[in-house]
Amino acid sequence: MPPSKDSSSIQAPTKKKRKVFKRRVKIKTRKRAQIAEKKKEKENVTPLVRKYWLQRYDLFSRYDEGIKMDEEGWFSVTPEEIAARQARWCAGAGVVIDAFAGVGGNAIQFAQMCHHVVAIDIDPKKVALASDNAKIYGVEDYIDFIVGDFFQLAPFLKGDVVFLSPPWGGPSYKAKESFTLDLLKPKDGHSLFQVAQAITPNIIMYLPRNVDLLQATALSWLSSPPLDVEVYLISVCILF
């Protein structure tokens, strides 16, 4: 029989092995916590939000790192790929004003491509969510978040580009054969455009795919001389 090992001959784990073991325990604990959080989150998803929750990585590629949205944010935030494309159109711009920032999808992408962003929303909860989401993308230092009404703040704003993605009235907008500018919230598209135009002629409007294009492009005639117009059908994005 082989000699029995004396307890005194068993070597204690080295310091390096203890560190590796602790690290593995932390990783497993973190993964379990993430799985539990996802399960809890999925259980709390409302029927209205479920469709968008399944597309969460299209909305924010870094969703699992702590992105948070309220119910309205789920169906109103611009998908990340589209927001990034919109940001590239004004790459290098000085100051971009995001008039209806919501939970920050567009503001984050503008901050990655432009020098500075002023992100405005009337809902303080959305501004708080947008600010936290910006930290996940590491761009919080390039965005000034403001709680306020764009229409009241506009006379005091200065910027090189104004981005307009006003509320479309919720998911029900899809049921309309032709989405007219008077359906935009909180004011119609003509009033909104005129307010933005007083800040800069460089305006981007993000509108539903079923928008009345003739009505939307006619906004350029509110300026004298009329502004140049570019239309991108990604939903519909109109550059003036």
Side-chain angles (χ1 to χ4, degrees), residues 83-108:
R85 194 182 310 176
Q86 293 167 342
R88 287 195 291 271
W89 292 334
C90 51
V95 177
V96 176
I97 298 170
D98 185 352
F100 304 92
V103 296
N106 283 103
I108 288 169

Side-chain angles (χ1 to χ4, degrees), residues 75-147:
F75 58 77
S76 63
V77 69
T78 305
E80 187 170 292
E81 184 179 341
I82 295 176
R85 194 182 310 176
Q86 293 167 342
R88 287 195 291 271
W89 292 334
C90 51
V95 177
V96 176
I97 298 170
D98 185 352
F100 304 92
V103 296
N106 283 103
I108 288 169
Q109 297 302 318
F110 282 126
Q112 293 181 344
M113 300 297 297
C114 306
H115 292 288
H116 204 76
V117 179
V118 177
I120 302 167
D121 202 280
I122 200 166
D123 184 347
K125 292 181 180 178
K126 283 186 174 59
V127 171
L129 292 170
S131 179
D132 288 341
N133 293 339
K135 291 174 184 175
I136 291 171
Y137 282 80
V139 295
E140 68 274 18
D141 292 337
Y142 301 96
I143 308 175
D144 286 332
F145 289 101
I146 299 175
V147 177

